Amino acid sequence: MSPNNKWIGRALNASLLYLVLFVCLARTATLDEEDIEIDDEEEEDLEYEYSMKQDRHTCGSSQTGQYPFCKDKDQVIHHYVHTRDECGETDFKKVRAEMQLMIQERRKKMKEIAHSAKLIKNNVEREKEDTVLFLTEMARLVEKTYVEVIEEIEKKQKAATTRAIEHILELTQEIFKLQERSTQLEQLSHTEDHLHLLQMFPSLCTPPATIDWSEVSIHSDPSVGAVRRGVNKMRKALNSEENRLSAAELGRIKKCAVNVTLDPDTAHPYLIVSADEKQVRIGDLRQNVTDSPERFNLVVNVLGKEAFSSGRFYYEVQVKGKTRLDLGVAVESINRKTVVTLSPGHGYLAICLRDGDKYVAADNPAVLLSLSQKPQKIGVYVDYEQGQVSFYDVDNRSHIYSFTDYTFNQKLYPFFSTGTDDYGENSAPLVITPVNQQLSIHFPTFDKA
């Protein structure tokens, strides 16, 4: 298929998609106008749950009001069916009320999905615009860097060439002086006037003032490092843009905030979980707790009480004062009775703090993270369907690390490890904090000078 045909096909597919969406939205509006009328008595019936009673059908052979809908061999067997009066008027109202509730719920869900579909289109358009702006800025930056690097290379070439010419002129002058002196000495060597020879020889035998050229050189590659310096400049600009994008990204991610609490039944016996189940710290004594299959007993870990098996969720954890910790998510099937190996292959997607200031992503292989400052509060974001787990420095509004392209087929639990006490230096708790969605974002821009 030619490129033009491909673009035409994509345009037709997009047009059909928007047409279907338009029809759905129109149908939703129509359904709103065609709501089934419900009298006051039936409205009251909508408030309680309907439970179906066992059908009361009996078979007879010669009853009036019978219906032949069941056959056994060649014999017609009549089922006796209770009439509306016998079953009771209330049963019919309950059934109808239940059906109407189901209709209302589905209308609500349809409107919700249609609204989400409209938002998808708007958000995609915004992403496309942001992408164009970003790539345009990157193209401008690359062009600017190219011009600056070429100018630097040409400037250094010109300077080196100028120095070479100056040295050649100086050498030419010195050669001329030396040749002139050599000629004078040659002439003096043939003179027969011994008195003149004695008078001239001392001055002619002294070399003229010259430069010590043994320490002088011209580098043939004066622009070494120019490209690297240009790349470093681009990297700084890219880091600035990445920070801007991370801040904007974090502002949108915060909308996925959920309430996360700690599950004391999973906590290692040395861990102390607060009464509100929002803080955990390591204690000095083993707690008197019941050992259960859910509890960690060899490592100081604890899981969140809430499990997630779809959608997106985000929460924040204060890590101020910690010198050692593990933080992330874990799958439901992790082994809680052995020494933990933090890696995606063992069911953990987490980052770790070691030695006070060294953050490591427990990926395969592990990745040492280079952070501009030590985080005081870390945001954890999970997109279950996309197989993504991301970590953010909340106060610095920057991205720390992301695990991507994983396939989740189990429940995910927030995962916390306080680390050992480290002789009192690591006694600070991990604290699940409320998410402030009123995020003030500063958008830095590239230097356009």
Side-chain angles (χ1 to χ4, degrees), residues 184 187-188 191-202 204:
Q184 291 175 351
Q187 292 174 352
L188 187 61
T191 185
E192 296 181 356
D193 187 347
H194 297 288
L195 179 61
H196 178 68
L197 176 63
L198 292 174
Q199 290 174 343
M200 297 299 297
F201 183 77
L204 294 177

Side-chain angles (χ1 to χ4, degrees), residues 322-324 353-359 374 422:
K322 300 296 293 180
T323 61
R324 184 183 182 91
L353 172 63
R354 299 291 184 266
D355 302 328
D357 58 358
K358 294 179 182 178
Y359 271 93
K374 183 179 177 181
D422 282 350

Side-chain angles (χ1 to χ4, degrees), residues 143-167:
E143 182 179 0
K144 181 174 181 288
T145 303
Y146 165 77
V147 171
E148 291 177 348
V149 171
I150 296 300
E151 287 180 350
E152 179 184 350
I153 292 174
E154 291 178 345
K155 183 178 180 181
K156 289 183 178 295
Q157 177 193 9
K158 183 177 181 180
T161 302
T162 301
R163 284 196 300 271
I165 293 173
E166 291 174 351
H167 291 332

